[in-house]
């Protein structure tokens, strides 16, 4: 194998699994160390710079970072231990809940540069674009049919998961940058919007209108019982804005995604005593996040799987229940999984109301088909996936409106990318030449055996977030269920982080091949051996490296002609190799990657060093 080029940012970025998996590439270990040190405001600002909505995401994020967490892999196989990642998402909330007033640390609206940007939809994608462009002097105008900003954050996430005050605060930070919000103003024509809707033309349009249409079920009885059959996302929106405050005693929720979980849990709080979730697939195949399913089950809501709805039953125009066909999962001749009828009698469940949460789709009736924006067969805009520019050069898309339903953190990532594109478009430069990220790699050595970070490995299992008493929580749809970690719990959970961004950096010319690092490594990560092709080399390391998605670190230049090979997958980043090395060939260096944004630094490079955590874990904020 060729020696690893650690100067390429992606190498060490991939080693920080959580940051690599996060669509917005938030520097997770950095802010966790700051939380452990009590520096909540600093931790919040690192999050705000990357993911824009720390308090919101700390309660609602889909957590792509957590399945990637190294903690689960190194705990795997320990007897009696259920491998669980660090509670990254809930630690983010700790920073938001405990920070000081950070308004003076936010950027200000830049001097007007003469460019006007219209943003359709006031959800997370549009808000991210506005947040990135307003400090550069762009006049940003957000249009939304709802009177309050926030988009699906406000309309579709129940208040028992996300209090209104948190939305108001974090959306307010963005509107406070001088962003104009035109609430209660629907956009009916892209052509008219390009001309400014009577208020002066726009230089670019960003479409962040989400996937606002819930899929329906066209089965017998749908029209006859329509009064008591509701589309899930529309119903959640009506609940959020106070138009609906009750539901029938017996409720069936159809669908297995996060929207279905929000529907069933909301129903329990609005009078539903007998609430069931019924899905076509198996429990493990449901699209809902595992913790969303756990929360529903905790509140006494059964999830019934392998049932396909056949008809809505009704009597005198009133819904009486749903008829289901029982199915099972089998593989066909090609090994493809299919749902096939079991042959058992159909099953009828009586109910008073049905909430249909079987998916969402995009709707762009306001974009004229001769406005220069092309759409594919599924109704999605044809986009450059890197720049998010449509076939009309002035029009950009992001969030669910771009590629279909995903989640908040993906919308934020799209917003950052689209803001770069819009800035470059308005400046008349090539959109495909993307600014590079800012990268630091700094030694953490403070003495011969002393580091600026706490490298002790905690053996604690994941801490559970405390919950409100269920009797109280189910009485009021606005009572937040999760209480969040207190300072002591947050400190203990933060200790579980393995500091994956503090990298082991090897200098071949200093190595005397004494094997001291090999002897002391608790995970058998380091091997000195003859070189070879990657599959063969991986197989003969001290601990065979089987995770092909994680690169191995290869360094040549040793006096014996051998190579040093390190398996990055199972490394604890404990620093014992660097402590034991008699020549300093190993060093622990903190890798900090800050993704490029649409900001002045993208046009004229300037360093922005990462804030260093206090050596003590007990520093005051």
């Amino acid at each position: 194998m060729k020696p690893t080029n650690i100067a390429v940012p992606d190498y060490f970025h991939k080693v920080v699994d959580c940051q690599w998996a996060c669509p917005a590439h938030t520097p997770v270990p950095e802010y966790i160390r700051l939380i452990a040190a009590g520096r909540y405001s600093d931790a919040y600002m690192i999050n705000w710079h990357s993911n824009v909505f720390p308090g919101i995401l700390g309660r609602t994020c889909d957590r792509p970072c957590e399945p990637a967490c190294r903690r689960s892999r190194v705990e795997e196989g320990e007897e009696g231990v259920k491998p669980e990642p660090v509670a990254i998402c809930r630690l983010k909330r700790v920073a938001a809940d405990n920070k000081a007033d950070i308004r003076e640390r936010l950027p200000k609206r830049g001097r007007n540069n003469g460019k006007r940007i219209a943003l359709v939809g006031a959800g997370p994608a549009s808000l991210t674009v506005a947040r990135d462009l307003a400090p550069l002097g762009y006049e940003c105008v957000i249009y939304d049919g709802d009177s309050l900003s926030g988009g699906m954050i406000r309309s579709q996430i129940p208040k028992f998961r996300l209090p209104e005050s948190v939305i108001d605060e974090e959306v307010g930070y963005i509107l406070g940058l001088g962003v104009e919000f035109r609430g209660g103003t629907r956009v009916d024509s892209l052509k008219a919007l390009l001309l400014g809707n009577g208020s002066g033309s726009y230089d670019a349009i960003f479409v962040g209108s989400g996937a606002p249409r819930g899929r329906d079920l066209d089965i017998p009885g749908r029209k006859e019982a329509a009064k008591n059959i509701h589309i899930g996302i529309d119903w959640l929106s009506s609940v959020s804005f106070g138009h609906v405050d009750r539901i029938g005693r017996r409720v069936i929720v159809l669908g297995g995604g996060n929207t279905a979980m929000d529907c069933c849990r909301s129903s329990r709080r609005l009078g539903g005593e007998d609430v069931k979730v019924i899905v076509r697939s198996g429990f493990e195949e449901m699209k809902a996040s595992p913790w969303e399913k756990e929360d529903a089950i905790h509140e006494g809501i059964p999830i019934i799987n392998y049932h396909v709805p056949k008809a809505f039953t009704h009597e005198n125009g009133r819904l009486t229940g749903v008829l289901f066909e029982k199915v099972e999962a089998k593989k066909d001749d090609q090994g493809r999984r299919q749902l096939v009828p079991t042959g058992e009698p159909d099953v009828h469940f009586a109910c008073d109301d049905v909430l249909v949460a079987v998916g969402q789709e995009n709707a762009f009736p306001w974009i004229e088909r001769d406005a220069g924006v092309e759409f594919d067969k599924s109704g999605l805009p044809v986009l450059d996936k890197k720049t998010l520019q449509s076939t009309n050069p002035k029009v950009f898309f992001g969030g669910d409106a771009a590629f279909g339903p995903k989640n908040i953190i993906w919308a934020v990532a799209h917003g950052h990318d689209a803001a770069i594109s819009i800035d470059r478009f308005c400046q008349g430069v090539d959109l495909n030449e993307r600014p590079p990220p800012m990268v630091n790699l700094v030694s953490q050595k403070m003495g011969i055996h002393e580091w600026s970070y706490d490298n002790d490995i905690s053996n604690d299992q994941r801490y559970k977030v405390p919950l409100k008493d269920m009797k109280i929580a189910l009485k009021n749809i606005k009572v937040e269920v999760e209480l969040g970690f207190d300072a002591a719990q947050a400190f203990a959970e933060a200790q579980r982080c393995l500091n994956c961004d503090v990298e082991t950096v090897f200098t071949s010319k200093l190595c005397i091949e004494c094997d001291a690092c090999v002897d002391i490594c608790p995970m058998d990560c380091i091997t000195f051996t003859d070189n070879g092709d990657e599959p063969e080399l991986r197989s003969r390391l001290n601990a065979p490296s089987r995770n092909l998605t994680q690169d191995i670190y290869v360094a040549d230049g040793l006096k014996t002609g051998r190579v040093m090979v390190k398996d990055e997958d199972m490394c604890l980043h404990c620093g014992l190799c660097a402590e034991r090395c008699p020549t300093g060939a190993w060093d622990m260096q903190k890798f900090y990657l800050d993704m490029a944004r649409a900001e002045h630094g993208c046009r004229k490079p300037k360093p922005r060093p990462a804030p260093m955590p206090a050596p003590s874990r007990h520093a005051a904020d």
Side-chain angles (χ1 to χ4, degrees):
M1 288 186 67
K2 292 182 179 179
T4 302
N5 182 3
I6 63 172
V8 176
D10 275 1
Y11 179 75
F12 280 142
H13 188 189
K14 279 185 72 176
V15 174
V16 192
D17 302 270
C18 51
Q19 184 175 14
W20 180 260
C22 174
H25 301 302
T26 305
V28 174
E30 176 75 357
Y31 79 72
I32 288 180
R33 279 192 299 273
L34 292 169
I35 288 170
R39 294 172 56 184
Y40 304 117
S41 299
D42 291 337
Y44 184 88
M45 291 308 299
I46 285 178
N47 274 281
W48 191 85
H49 185 72
S50 295
N51 59 51
V52 184
F53 305 104
I56 292 169
L57 286 167
R59 291 165 166 84
T60 64
C61 189
D62 261 9
R63 318 180 198 177
C65 54
E66 292 190 12
C69 178
R70 185 183 308 268
R71 183 80 195 201
S72 296
R73 299 201 297 278
V74 301
E75 285 184 357
E76 196 169 12
E78 290 187 36
E79 188 175 351
V81 174
K82 177 188 175 185
E84 288 195 279
V86 175
I88 299 169
C89 179
R90 289 340 187 218
L91 285 174
K92 191 190 323 289
R93 173 181 170 176
V94 170
D97 287 354
N98 292 281
K99 69 183 184 308
D101 187 345
I102 51 86
R103 284 174 293 182
E104 289 302 314
R105 301 178 65 169
L106 301 177
K108 308 299 183 204
R109 166 75 188 276
R111 180 182 298 177
N112 195 313
N113 65 11
K115 303 291 184 180
R116 303 184 74 232
I117 312 299
L119 303 104
V120 181
S126 293
L127 289 167
T128 300
V129 173
R131 195 212 66 168
D132 286 359
L133 293 182
L136 301 181
Y138 287 90
E139 181 184 344
C140 297
V141 181
I142 301 177
Y143 293 85
D144 198 285
D146 290 333
S147 59
L148 297 174
S149 59
M152 59 78 62
I153 290 174
R154 191 181 297 273
S155 65
Q156 291 168 32
I157 300 177
K159 299 302 177 284
F160 60 80
R161 289 181 56 206
L162 178 60
E164 194 99 20
S165 59
V166 178
I167 304 172
D168 290 342
E169 176 188 355
E170 297 196 326
V171 170
Y173 290 152
I174 297 170
L175 298 184
L177 298 174
V179 175
E180 181 181 351
F181 173 59
R182 297 185 183 179
T185 306
R186 302 187 70 86
V187 175
D188 298 318
S189 165
L190 175 61
K191 288 182 176 180
L193 186 61
L194 283 164
L195 296 174
N197 275 355
S199 63
S201 63
Y202 290 105
D203 296 280
I205 307 289
F206 177 77
V207 180
S209 52
R213 185 162 56 195
R215 292 198 180 105
D216 206 342
L217 277 179
D218 186 15
I219 58 177
R222 176 66 179 90
K223 292 180 180 178
E224 293 83 350
K227 183 178 179 182
N228 293 95
I229 302 172
H230 320 280
I231 301 300
I233 62 170
D234 296 338
W235 183 81
L236 286 173
S237 182
S238 295
V239 171
S240 178
F241 289 108
H243 306 312
V244 170
D245 60 5
R246 64 175 60 89
I247 199 166
R249 186 180 67 81
R250 300 171 302 173
V251 181
I252 289 176
V253 178
L254 300 176
N258 287 339
T259 297
M261 299 302 102
D262 286 340
C263 284
C264 70
R265 297 180 69 198
S266 296
S267 297
R268 287 284 281 121
R269 290 159 170 78
L270 295 182
E273 298 174 11
D274 176 9
V275 180
K276 300 181 180 72
V277 175
I278 305 181
V279 296
R280 298 165 53 96
S281 63
F283 183 83
E284 295 301 325
E285 287 77 37
M286 290 172 61
K287 292 183 178 179
S289 304
W291 50 88
E292 299 281 5
K293 294 186 285 187
E294 289 173 9
D295 288 343
I297 293 170
H298 173 72
E299 293 180 357
I301 300 169
I303 297 176
I304 301 169
N305 55 7
Y306 293 126
H307 282 64
V308 176
K310 288 184 66 176
F312 296 108
T313 59
H314 53 91
E315 187 177 321
N316 299 323
R318 183 177 181 82
L319 177 74
T320 57
V322 185
L323 188 67
F324 293 89
E325 179 181 46
K326 295 186 73 174
V327 297
E328 60 183 339
K330 287 189 173 180
K331 291 185 178 179
D332 61 17
D333 296 339
Q334 284 75 42
R336 293 173 299 190
R337 182 180 177 279
Q338 293 184 338
L339 296 177
V340 298
T342 64
E344 298 173 76
D346 291 341
V347 179
H348 183 264
F349 289 101
C351 66
D352 303 306
D353 285 282
V354 169
L355 297 173
V356 180
V358 294
Q360 295 171 228
E361 56 192 10
N362 296 75
F364 301 103
W366 56 278
I367 298 181
E368 299 89 348
R369 290 312 184 252
D370 62 347
V373 177
E374 295 180 15
F375 292 87
D376 62 20
K377 293 180 180 179
S378 62
L380 291 170
V382 176
L383 303 176
D384 182 306
K385 291 188 177 180
K386 182 198 295 185
T387 67
L388 301 176
Q389 187 179 43
S390 74
T391 50
N392 182 327
K394 280 191 171 184
V395 182
F396 300 79
F397 286 74
D400 293 354
F403 304 115
K406 282 197 175 180
N407 49 50
I408 299 172
I409 192 63
W410 270 109
V412 169
H414 290 167
H416 287 314
D417 287 341
I420 291 173
S421 297
I422 291 169
D423 182 38
R424 296 184 75 79
F425 175 76
C426 289
Q427 300 303 317
V429 295
D430 187 354
L431 274 62
N432 286 293
E433 293 182 6
R434 315 300 282 184
M438 189 280 291
V439 179
N440 276 347
L441 193 61
V442 180
S443 176
Q444 300 303 288
K445 187 166 287 187
M446 299 177 69
I448 296 177
H449 303 299
E450 190 175 358
W451 308 106
S452 67
Y453 73 105
D454 186 347
N455 66 335
D456 286 341
I457 306 299
S458 168
N459 292 320
D460 291 354
Q461 290 184 254
R462 180 173 169 131
Y463 288 80
K464 301 296 183 184
V465 177
L467 303 175
K468 196 82 171 178
D469 182 274
M470 191 158 56
K471 291 181 180 179
I472 299 173
L474 293 180
K475 286 183 178 179
N476 189 334
I477 199 165
K478 293 186 178 181
V479 170
E480 188 171 14
V481 175
E482 289 193 7
L483 302 179
F485 288 132
D486 60 24
Q489 292 167 326
F491 175 82
E493 182 63 29
Q495 296 296 92
R496 298 182 67 243
C497 177
L498 296 174
N499 299 293
C500 294
D501 61 337
V502 182
E503 309 286 358
T504 50
V505 178
F506 183 72
T507 305
S508 299
K509 65 182 181 180
L510 297 178
C511 180
I512 58 174
E513 301 183 62
C514 65
D515 280 359
C517 55
V518 177
D519 294 338
I520 201 169
C521 177
M523 304 299 287
D524 294 326
C525 291
I526 303 168
T527 305
F528 288 86
T529 185
D530 293 330
N531 208 338
D533 293 332
E534 183 171 351
E536 187 268 338
L537 185 58
R538 281 181 180 267
S539 70
R540 56 182 168 86
L541 301 182
N542 288 336
S545 177
R546 298 187 178 93
N547 182 3
L548 302 183
T549 65
Q550 184 67 268
D551 296 335
I552 54 177
Y553 188 174
V554 179
D556 62 5
L558 297 172
K559 294 178 177 62
T560 61
R562 298 187 301 170
V563 289
M564 184 288 299
V565 185
K566 176 171 173 285
D567 178 12
E568 298 282 19
D569 188 50
M570 297 299 288
C571 177
L572 296 176
H573 297 247
C574 60
L576 290 176
C577 55
E579 288 185 17
R580 182 67 181 84
C581 181
T583 64
W586 286 104
D587 190 21
M588 304 304 294
Q589 298 186 14
K590 187 176 74 168
F591 171 82
Y592 188 87
L593 180 138
D594 186 10
M595 298 301 293
R597 308 278 181 265
E599 55 188 21
H600 293 297
C602 292
R603 303 175 190 172
K604 186 177 181 180
K606 61 180 180 180
R608 183 177 55 232
M612 289 292 295
S616 168
R617 293 273 194 171
H618 305 286
D621 186 28

